[in-house]
Amino acid sequence: MLLASVLSFAATVCLWWLYFVGGAPAAAEALTAASPRSRRRQQLASDAYTLAHLPMVAGVVYFALGIHLCLDGLADESRPGDDNAVSMGWAPATVLYGGVALYLAGRFLFLRLTVRTPPSHLVAVIVLLLLVPVARVLPALAALGLLAALLTALVGYERQTRTD
């Protein structure tokens, strides 16, 4: 249970980094660079900071629900006589991986509207969606570990390719 909590925290920190370090500062610069009262600035503010944030917020909510279902499943498995290798199932895998995919899709949209990020940033979204069937047959701890590893790799990749 402790390891699951640490993996959940690590995945959460990765999502935080991807937004607050890997995207928001550049987007804020783009908004600031647009001349005040211009149509471009109004468009950036309404589209990027409203519409693109909706999938990110929904993704975080689903991600949190997925973590809750994982931890709940692990708590049930830790009872005497239960098998610790019970697969995660469709619902927890879908909300956990799908929530992160939704968050990353919203982040892509946010960055695309502000700083013109390349379409290659959608690769992580596609990989996460392809991993849902795999995650559903894994034990909850393994699925959570796989997600944390994928997000850590994504953060590492973005740190390497950043142009500050």
Side-chain angles (χ1 to χ4, degrees):
M1 188 72 124
L2 178 62
L3 181 58
S5 298
V6 170
L7 291 171
S8 300
F9 182 72
T12 303
V13 168
C14 289
L15 294 181
W16 174 89
W17 189 95
L18 287 167
Y19 182 79
F20 287 104
V21 178
E29 280 182 33
L31 184 64
T32 304
S35 63
R37 299 182 192 267
S38 70
R39 179 74 179 132
R40 167 86 174 126
R41 187 174 188 152
Q42 292 171 0
Q43 192 77 30
L44 275 174
S46 67
D47 291 349
Y49 286 92
T50 303
L51 297 176
H53 275 72
L54 290 175
M56 286 193 293
V57 171
V60 167
V61 171
Y62 280 118
F63 170 66
L65 175 61
I67 288 175
H68 170 76
L69 292 173
C70 281
L71 293 176
D72 189 46
L74 287 169
D76 287 345
E77 291 172 8
S78 67
R79 294 191 182 125
D82 285 345
D83 182 16
N84 282 336
V86 174
S87 66
M88 192 165 158
W90 277 111
T94 303
V95 294
L96 184 66
Y97 281 70
V100 174
L102 185 59
Y103 173 86
L104 292 176
R107 179 179 175 267
F108 171 79
L109 179 60
F110 173 68
L111 292 175
R112 189 79 172 166
L113 291 168
T114 55
V115 294
R116 305 290 181 220
T117 190
S120 62
H121 283 192
L122 284 176
V123 170
V125 174
I126 294 165
V127 168
L128 281 165
L129 293 175
L130 290 173
L131 284 174
V132 170
V134 174
R136 80 166 181 89
V137 297
L138 292 175
L141 190 59
L144 200 50
L146 179 62
L147 180 64
L150 181 70
L151 287 172
T152 302
L154 180 60
V155 167
Y157 171 77
E158 291 212 2
R159 285 188 66 172
Q160 291 291 359
T161 59
R162 271 179 73 187
T163 56
D164 285 337

